[in-house]
Amino acid sequence: MTYLLRRLPLSRLLLLCGLVLAIGISVTALAFALGTGPTPPPKPLADAIHDALAGASGEPVQGISANIQLTDHLLEGANLTNGGSEGGGGGELLSSPLVTGGAGRMWVAKDGRVRLELQSEQGDTQVLYDGHTVSIYDASSNTLYRYRVPPREGGAGTSWDSGTSTAGPHEVLTVAKIEEAISHLDHVNVSGATPTDVAGQAAYTVRVSPKETGSLIGAGELSWDAANGVPLRAAIYSSTSSSPTIELAASSISYGQVAASVFEFTPPSNAKIEEIVLPKKDGSSADSSTPNDDHPHVTTSGEGITSVAVIESKSKEGADAKQTSSATEADLQKVKINGIEASELPTELGTLLSFERSGVRYFLAGAVSPATVEAVAKGL
């Protein structure tokens, strides 16, 4: 088992980036629907967070079920072809509801298990988390991606019990500590707690935006249930648009125990399986079978939100490399980097770029414009 970055063509790697991004939003955003429900009284942000963690309802949440709608404009105008060579990723990108958006359902159990289900003409896409492993089944490519989450210190699990925090299983952070934590957010602007109605629940919404300019990240918004602190909505905005680039929405939400069978999923017997293995902090592979001199080298250019990540790895050789290159060329737009053809994917929130030179494959990613990423690539 080797690094995912070495095994996948750029186009399929971009699909995985979309999947991971969607997971990050789905786990923290369970529902959003405008309605005529109640709104909570105005409160300072720290007080609203404290009261939600303390559980104003007086009863812990036993589970969550919701009808959802994922809206995703990340790849609009990205100039991806819908076809390409066999095994390419362009068609997969354009058909996966995790990348293009879709309707579905979401469930969260009291013990932290999560299942997200999105429907499409190519079949349902499933995202599951059991407390140890994230599994993503993409029906459009009949591929199951699996990533084992490193255990947290102390082996603590995830729970939706009100009042759960790193301070202790039933200890709620004080308003003073919450205010102190907010004051340490030096690089972002944090709004107050805006009273709103989310999925028929009284909720608060906070908006966070970077102080530093020059990136394509405009802001993020999070809404939570004022009574029990459960996240109800999340959205990411581009600096070039006032509408959310990615948002998870739901037409309904209910609280109550979720049957264990809901979290059972068996992929088709002929599904391809991709094991995701990330480098450790010391640069070594989490898989001991991978040689130490074979792992990608990761650096950054610039600082803060405008920095660009540069990943260098050995180029593949032989027929497998030619097939990978052909798939990439068929799916992505091309630019010249010091006379070398590179594959590029500009998105609403950043730019991805890949090229090979002298036996080295370069992969660059940043929440910045194509011109900024290309300038970094030309300086390598």
Side-chain angles (χ1 to χ4, degrees):
M1 183 166 53
T2 58
Y3 287 109
L4 182 66
L5 296 174
R6 296 289 311 280
R7 296 178 59 187
L8 298 179
L10 175 61
S11 50
R12 191 166 292 177
L13 179 60
L14 300 178
L15 171 61
L16 182 59
C17 290
L19 301 182
V20 172
L21 182 59
I23 294 175
I25 290 187
S26 356
V27 169
T28 58
L30 303 179
F32 172 64
L34 295 177
T36 57
T39 57
K43 290 181 181 180
L45 178 59
D47 292 82
I49 294 174
H50 172 270
D51 293 348
L53 292 175
S57 65
E59 297 182 1
V61 175
Q62 300 298 316
I64 298 169
S65 302
N67 292 317
I68 62 172
Q69 175 70 45
L70 175 66
T71 302
D72 193 338
H73 300 296
L74 185 66
L75 298 181
E76 284 190 356
N79 193 27
L80 278 173
T81 61
N82 189 11
S85 59
E86 185 177 353
E92 296 171 11
L93 279 169
L94 294 175
S95 59
S96 173
L98 279 173
V99 176
T100 62
R105 298 265 302 164
M106 188 171 189
W107 299 267
V108 181
K110 183 181 180 181
D111 61 6
R113 287 173 296 166
V114 178
R115 180 172 182 174
L116 170 68
E117 180 181 276
L118 294 172
Q119 289 87 39
S120 72
E121 294 181 358
Q122 289 74 27
D124 294 352
T125 292
Q126 307 284 342
V127 179
L128 299 101
Y129 174 63
D130 61 5
H132 306 285
T133 302
V134 176
S135 300
I136 309 168
Y137 176 69
D138 179 49
S140 64
S141 62
N142 193 26
T143 302
L144 178 68
Y145 300 92
R146 291 192 303 212
Y147 171 64
R148 186 168 180 81
V149 180
R152 292 187 293 177
E153 293 184 5
T158 302
S159 174
W160 286 100
D161 285 346
S162 297
T164 299
S165 72
T166 56
H170 298 288
E171 183 179 349
V172 178
L173 293 174
T174 65
V175 172
K177 286 187 176 296
I178 296 174
E179 289 176 337
E180 181 183 2
I182 295 174
S183 69
H184 289 161
L185 302 176
D186 299 326
H187 301 289
V188 295
N189 298 306
V190 183
S191 75
T194 302
T196 186
D197 161 33
V198 180
Q201 309 295 320
Y204 293 103
T205 295
V206 63
R207 183 180 178 92
V208 179
S209 59
K211 291 181 178 179
E212 183 180 2
T213 60
S215 81
L216 292 178
I217 303 294
E221 288 185 349
L222 176 67
S223 303
W224 67 91
D225 192 314
N228 52 43
V230 171
L232 297 174
R233 171 190 177 249
I236 299 178
Y237 293 78
S238 169
S239 59
T240 62
S241 175
S242 59
S243 299
T245 298
I246 301 177
E247 181 181 56
L248 193 64
S251 57
S252 64
I253 182 171
S254 60
Y255 299 128
Q257 291 186 354
V258 181
S261 59
V262 169
F263 303 100
E264 298 175 358
F265 172 74
T266 302
S269 59
N270 63 341
K272 294 170 288 185
I273 297 178
E274 296 285 358
E275 299 286 353
I276 304 173
V277 181
L278 302 181
K280 294 181 179 180
K281 291 182 180 181
D282 59 4
S284 63
S285 172
D287 178 10
S288 58
S289 66
T290 303
N292 290 333
D293 60 354
D294 199 36
H295 62 76
H297 178 59
V298 183
T299 58
T300 58
S301 176
E303 297 180 357
I305 197 170
T306 58
S307 64
V308 176
V310 181
I311 304 173
E312 302 176 39
S313 60
K314 291 182 180 179
S315 300
K316 289 184 178 181
E317 298 179 356
D320 186 35
K322 292 181 179 179
Q323 182 179 5
T324 296
S325 176
S326 175
T328 301
E329 291 175 0
D331 298 331
L332 303 176
Q333 66 183 46
K334 302 297 170 294
V335 296
K336 290 291 185 179
I337 302 297
N338 297 332
I340 299 175
E341 186 176 79
S343 298
E344 183 178 69
L345 178 62
T347 75
E348 295 294 309
L349 298 175
T351 305
L352 304 175
L353 183 145
S354 179
F355 65 95
E356 294 188 10
R357 183 183 64 199
S358 303
V360 178
R361 180 188 180 196
Y362 296 88
F363 180 82
L364 292 81
V368 290
S369 67
T372 301
V373 173
E374 291 168 19
V376 173
K378 292 175 181 178
L380 296 175

